[in-house]
Amino acid sequence: MATSRRGRRRPSKSGEGFGAPQELVVAKAKPKGKRIYSLPALYDLAFGYRNFDEEIEFLIGQHQLLHDGTSPSRVLELAAGPARHSIYALQSSKIASATALDNSMEMLEYSKEIAAEELDVDTYENDFEYLQEDMSEFHLSSEPFDSAWILLGSLQHLTTNDKVISCFKSVQKSLVDGGTLILELPHPRETFSMVECTRNGWQVPLDDENGENSGELDIVWGDDEDEFDPITQVRQFTVAMELKGVEEKDAQSVREVVPLRLFTAQEINAFALIAGFEVTSFHGALANGVDVDDENEAFRLVSVLRKI
């Protein structure tokens, strides 16, 4: 199956399509189960609309603002999945080394395959590392990192306060003094508008080796029938992905319910103080110039924390 990822930008509010296409070929990955994170190639395709160049510029820039223009040299990416942000940052020489961390062996194997293809041999062998670890509690023996990233809402998988605090403390111990932790989460307005759950979905067109359309990947990330507990702020997210229009041997699909927590800015402030951080700024996207309270442009809660 040859596939491509298109339109790396914010999905439309209706969840239907992504603007001008961009092509990026990704590696094949055979499914090893029916859980969403055991199908890393589908996951990678689903979030291919991300503008990694712009997001890396933002992540590096936020660290520079707190360190007199100095870029982070060593970066730790937690719950990294395909680790596209780490790979892009290395590929563009924005950072010197990256360590990715995830508890999914399928994601780890897939990401290392991608990194081996996209990084030069020296960078891949000496400057990129992927560890199978649980982000809620880990202990790394390597030198401390300058910056840590938890992106794509991955912190939402930690549905209890104890796990979030444990995660923050593990990161805090892994950073140099003054090191940064940058979080990307859904915007808090999603929490306070969660009277009824709504369906969120989009489609990713697929191309073959000749650039011809060969099908599409349909994604559902939250459905109408999802249950939301306003006490715990945990939504039982329906997550589904299905390849359509491809040859039968390449057909893949997955559907499961994943509990995900919705966070507020006040909670991030509190967790930061408990774990030895301070929040230096909030933003509405992984992009420069988007205020967190911008009703039109802010669709994420991006928090920049500094170790104190």
Side-chain angles (χ1 to χ4, degrees):
M1 175 182 65
T3 58
S4 68
R5 303 192 304 173
R6 292 185 170 188
R8 290 181 166 169
R9 56 185 61 189
R10 174 186 177 183
S12 63
K13 292 182 179 180
S14 63
E16 299 175 354
F18 297 96
Q22 289 181 312
E23 185 174 19
L24 177 66
V25 176
V26 299
K28 302 175 183 179
K30 295 181 180 180
K32 296 184 179 180
K34 284 296 182 182
R35 296 182 62 82
I36 185 66
Y37 300 112
S38 67
L39 297 174
L42 293 191
Y43 181 93
D44 198 22
L45 280 169
F47 292 96
Y49 64 85
R50 302 293 293 243
N51 187 326
F52 293 106
D53 292 332
E54 180 181 70
E55 293 177 1
I56 292 300
E57 181 180 349
F58 174 87
L59 292 165
I60 300 299
Q62 289 303 310
H63 184 91
Q64 290 174 332
L65 287 173
L66 299 174
H67 293 86
D68 298 322
T70 301
S71 298
S73 177
R74 291 172 47 79
V75 166
L76 174 65
E77 184 176 1
L78 284 77
R84 287 284 181 183
H85 289 88
S86 290
I87 293 170
Y88 267 71
L90 284 170
Q91 200 173 34
S92 59
S93 300
K94 300 288 187 182
I95 60 176
S97 68
T99 295
L101 181 155
D102 202 294
N103 63 3
S104 167
M105 180 55 68
E106 290 87 355
M107 284 291 185
L108 182 153
E109 292 173 349
Y110 176 82
S111 178
K112 292 180 74 171
E113 185 179 338
I114 295 294
E117 291 181 0
E118 303 212 0
L119 299 175
D120 62 69
V121 174
D122 183 65
T123 300
Y124 174 71
E125 292 183 348
N126 299 308
D127 302 323
F128 179 73
E129 182 180 31
Y130 205 125
L131 305 174
Q132 186 180 22
E133 295 281 353
D134 186 340
M135 72 170 171
S136 67
E137 185 175 9
F138 59 92
H139 306 279
L140 303 180
S141 59
S142 60
E143 294 181 14
F145 298 88
D146 301 301
S147 189
W149 305 336
I150 309 179
L151 309 174
L152 286 162
S154 296
L155 189 69
Q156 292 183 269
H157 290 285
L158 305 184
T159 57
T160 68
N161 291 343
D162 287 345
K163 284 189 176 294
V164 177
I165 293 168
S166 176
C167 172
F168 278 29
K169 286 184 175 180
S170 294
V171 175
Q172 200 262 8
K173 292 175 183 177
S174 301
L175 290 175
V176 299
D177 291 341
T180 54
L181 168 60
I182 303 180
L183 313 170
E184 181 204 2
L185 291 161
H187 198 280
R189 71 167 64 95
E190 291 193 20
T191 304
F192 294 104
S193 63
M194 197 63 70
V195 178
E196 294 182 357
C197 294
T198 57
R199 184 184 182 92
N200 179 39
W202 63 95
Q203 296 81 37
V204 178
L206 308 179
D207 293 343
D208 60 21
E209 292 89 344
N210 300 316
E212 300 293 330
N213 183 271
S214 62
E216 69 177 16
L217 175 64
D218 282 1
I219 303 107
V220 173
W221 206 268
D223 213 343
D224 297 329
E225 302 301 321
D226 292 351
E227 295 181 1
F228 175 68
D229 185 338
I231 305 301
T232 62
Q233 297 170 204
V234 174
R235 175 175 172 176
Q236 302 298 322
F237 265 83
T238 297
V239 178
M241 297 185 187
E242 182 180 5
L243 278 177
K244 293 183 176 180
V246 298
E247 295 181 14
E248 185 175 349
K249 65 182 178 67
D250 291 327
Q252 297 180 32
S253 66
V254 62
R255 186 180 186 90
E256 68 171 308
V257 175
V258 181
L260 297 175
R261 176 176 178 168
L262 298 174
F263 287 87
T264 67
Q266 292 277 41
E267 288 172 317
I268 297 300
N269 260 315
F271 290 135
L273 291 173
I274 291 170
F277 289 98
E278 63 175 345
V279 176
T280 62
S281 59
F282 289 115
H283 307 267
L286 279 177
N288 294 315
V290 181
D291 293 333
V292 71
D293 57 356
D294 189 316
E295 293 185 3
N296 296 318
E297 295 298 324
F299 65 105
R300 306 297 279 171
L301 174 65
V302 177
S303 311
V304 180
L305 285 61
R306 176 170 53 189
K307 179 178 176 178
I308 55 177

